[in-house]
Amino acid sequence: MDTISTSQLSRKLGSLSPKIFEKIFHHLVLKTQATLKQPAIIRDIGRLYVIDSTTMSMSLSQFPWATFRKTKAGIRLHLRVIVTKDLTIPDKGVLLPAKHADRTQMSELIDIDSDAIHLFDRGYNDYKKFDEFCLQDVRFITRLKKNAQIEVLSEQVPDPESLISRDQEVFLGNGQNGTKMTHPLRLVETKDREGNTVIIVTNCFELSANEIGELYRYRWKIETFFKWIKLHLKLKSFYGKSENAV
């Protein structure tokens, strides 16, 4: 063809399955991972997955299918990355209208893999899922919500010279409304880089409290990755406006 118009691209993208590009993406991910020979961040952890999402606001009149808020539309990228000491590599992604909350995509982004640790923020708090992960030997580290109900089972005395101020074995939830977990978790209280208190829960009982605190600090790497995307990937317009095209 000598030329191609915007409308031609729009029609093509409206009919072409996104699964084609998803397969290409997964192929490139596997090819990239095959070249990596990075030492474990802490001890013998096989992989450290970090999970989070980022939202792109859009015009409600042009993208009515991208349900988000009453006055604007948006899409949300739910992303899992592999984090090493030096690299952040995209591993798995789900692109949906922004109305879908983070925790609705946990099943898509978290694998049954006892050799890995999944790290995510408190937007993914789901006690029922946490119980499932404990049963399936899926290791995770996350941040606890401020209004969480806690039953303390036992407590360890933390090293006074460390950043750890609490190290407890706990049950989460309330038995009266049926949200109480059936598996105990580890609660670790520490400080972030700005000195703010951070309360972490995990089912990694084999790690020390300091190791758990250090691992959680790697969550900021996905935030840095999202900033990098938004700095370099400037999408000013779309060639197609249908959900399939976008």
Side-chain angles (χ1 to χ4, degrees), residues 53-56 68 74-78 94-98 100-102:
S53 69
T54 187
T55 301
M56 180 189 298
F68 184 24
I75 53 175
R76 182 172 293 169
L77 171 63
H78 302 266
V94 181
L95 197 62
L96 291 170
H100 294 274
D102 288 345

Side-chain angles (χ1 to χ4, degrees), residues 99-119:
K99 72 171 183 178
H100 294 274
D102 288 345
R103 66 179 185 174
T104 63
Q105 301 308 306
M106 292 175 77
S107 296
E108 291 291 328
L109 298 175
I110 295 179
D111 294 337
I112 299 175
D113 182 356
S114 59
D115 196 36
I117 290 180
H118 297 81
L119 183 59

Side-chain angles (χ1 to χ4, degrees), residues 126-136 140 179-185:
D126 186 325
Y127 296 168
K128 187 177 179 181
K129 278 291 182 186
F130 291 173
D131 267 328
E132 288 179 17
F133 296 156
C134 292
L135 279 171
Q136 296 165 343
F140 67 91
T179 62
K180 189 172 182 179
M181 287 186 62
T182 58
H183 293 81
L185 295 179

Side-chain angles (χ1 to χ4, degrees), residues 39-45 85 207 210-212 214-215 218:
I41 294 173
I42 291 176
R43 288 204 230 168
D44 57 348
I45 295 172
K85 287 184 178 179
L207 299 177
N210 278 324
E211 288 172 331
I212 291 166
E214 281 302 310
L215 282 173
Y218 280 88

